[in-house]
Amino acid sequence: MIKPPLEYLVRNPKVTTTNPPLLLLLHGVGSNENDLFSLVDDLPESLLIISLRGPLVLGRNRFGWYEISFQGGSPKIDIGQQEVSHQKILEFLDFVKGQFQFDTNNVWIGGFSQGAVMSYSVGLEHPKQFKGIIALSGRLLEETKQKLSANDEVDPQKIYIAHGTNDNVISVASARNSKESLELLGRSPKYKEYPEGHTISQEILKDLVGWLAVEL
């Protein structure tokens, strides 16, 4: 039996279909695959949903995609760890192709906080493999921006950004900057702000589900 590159949980589609769309979910730092998996009952029934566990062990049932240092006042990420996690997510997608039946032209990636950062990175840098990106309370890394170009042949990716105006972990200014950067690169993200902190509220989830229902 092939060992998966990452640990995961699966929710099969609730409706019978031969080639369902696939959604990969990425949790935030210090959490695990159970976190976003708790939302799957609210997500569209047509989706094959796989919630991944970050490869970095931070403690008991606590995982991440990369470490962050706050020395000097501004967050600095371990870009080496980020790149390893980036590659593992791509390897996981290849693994899934041999384990599940799904539409390889209808693959989505989304996450919360650090999981949103990774979703931006993996999704934007591999537009032919990901139809859509969901970024909840995240930000676009400078390292990711530098790998993108307005001159690239941009596939019409669907991008959904939601952020709380009272977020004290990743500021709403970071989300606004991410939106503007994407627009300068020729992307057209759907962007929404909420009077929330660093969280996924019922309103955020409801709006996301409504958007997915149209875009899937």
Side-chain angles (χ1 to χ4, degrees):
M1 189 170 181
I2 302 170
K3 181 173 170 49
L6 296 166
E7 297 294 326
Y8 65 96
L9 294 171
V10 179
R11 190 211 74 178
N12 288 304
K14 293 185 176 181
V15 292
T16 305
T17 176
T18 308
N19 283 307
L22 169 67
L23 171 61
L24 300 180
L25 292 177
L26 312 181
H27 63 76
V29 66
S31 189
N32 58 54
E33 68 276 22
N34 287 288
D35 187 25
L36 296 185
F37 198 71
S38 65
L39 306 177
V40 298
D41 284 344
D42 293 304
L43 295 174
E45 296 184 347
S46 62
L47 283 167
L48 168 64
I49 302 173
I50 303 182
S51 185
L52 303 181
R53 177 194 295 176
L56 195 65
V57 180
L58 302 174
R60 186 179 179 187
N61 295 323
R62 297 178 65 249
F63 302 88
W65 304 96
Y66 54 84
E67 290 177 289
I68 312 168
S69 164
F70 290 92
Q71 288 180 345
S74 60
K76 291 183 176 57
I77 76 163
D78 187 318
I79 194 64
Q81 292 175 342
Q82 194 270 347
E83 288 171 350
V84 168
S85 291
H86 183 123
Q87 192 57 41
K88 282 188 176 290
I89 293 166
L90 294 176
E91 289 171 10
F92 185 85
L93 182 57
D94 285 338
F95 164 80
V96 170
K97 288 174 183 173
Q99 305 295 316
F100 296 91
Q101 189 78 19
F102 63 93
D103 184 354
T104 56
N105 293 314
N106 200 0
V107 178
W108 299 67
I109 187 167
F112 173 73
S113 193
Q114 196 178 92
V117 175
M118 293 302 303
S119 297
Y120 272 141
S121 167
V122 176
L124 289 168
E125 290 178 38
H126 305 277
K128 295 192 184 304
Q129 291 181 260
F130 295 93
K131 178 181 175 182
I133 299 165
I134 299 162
L136 308 178
S137 303
R139 68 186 181 97
L140 186 58
L141 295 177
E142 288 302 320
E143 290 85 354
T144 300
K145 291 179 194 175
Q146 290 165 12
K147 293 177 183 175
L148 306 176
S149 167
N151 298 321
D152 284 345
E153 185 181 327
V154 180
D155 287 0
Q157 276 180 311
K158 309 293 185 180
I159 304 173
Y160 190 88
I161 304 169
H163 213 99
T165 54
N166 299 312
D167 192 328
N168 60 3
V169 177
I170 298 177
S171 74
V172 71
S174 293
R176 292 168 184 164
N177 179 267
S178 299
K179 170 184 176 284
E180 290 165 8
S181 296
L182 288 169
E183 289 172 342
L184 287 171
L185 290 164
R187 278 66 167 180
S188 302
K190 173 74 173 178
Y191 180 86
K192 296 203 74 172
E193 291 182 3
Y194 300 82
E196 305 284 354
H198 196 64
T199 187
I200 303 173
S201 67
Q202 281 300 311
E203 187 181 3
I204 290 172
L205 184 59
K206 179 178 173 226
D207 289 347
L208 170 61
V209 170
W211 179 80
L212 276 172
V214 173
E215 300 297 348
L216 284 172

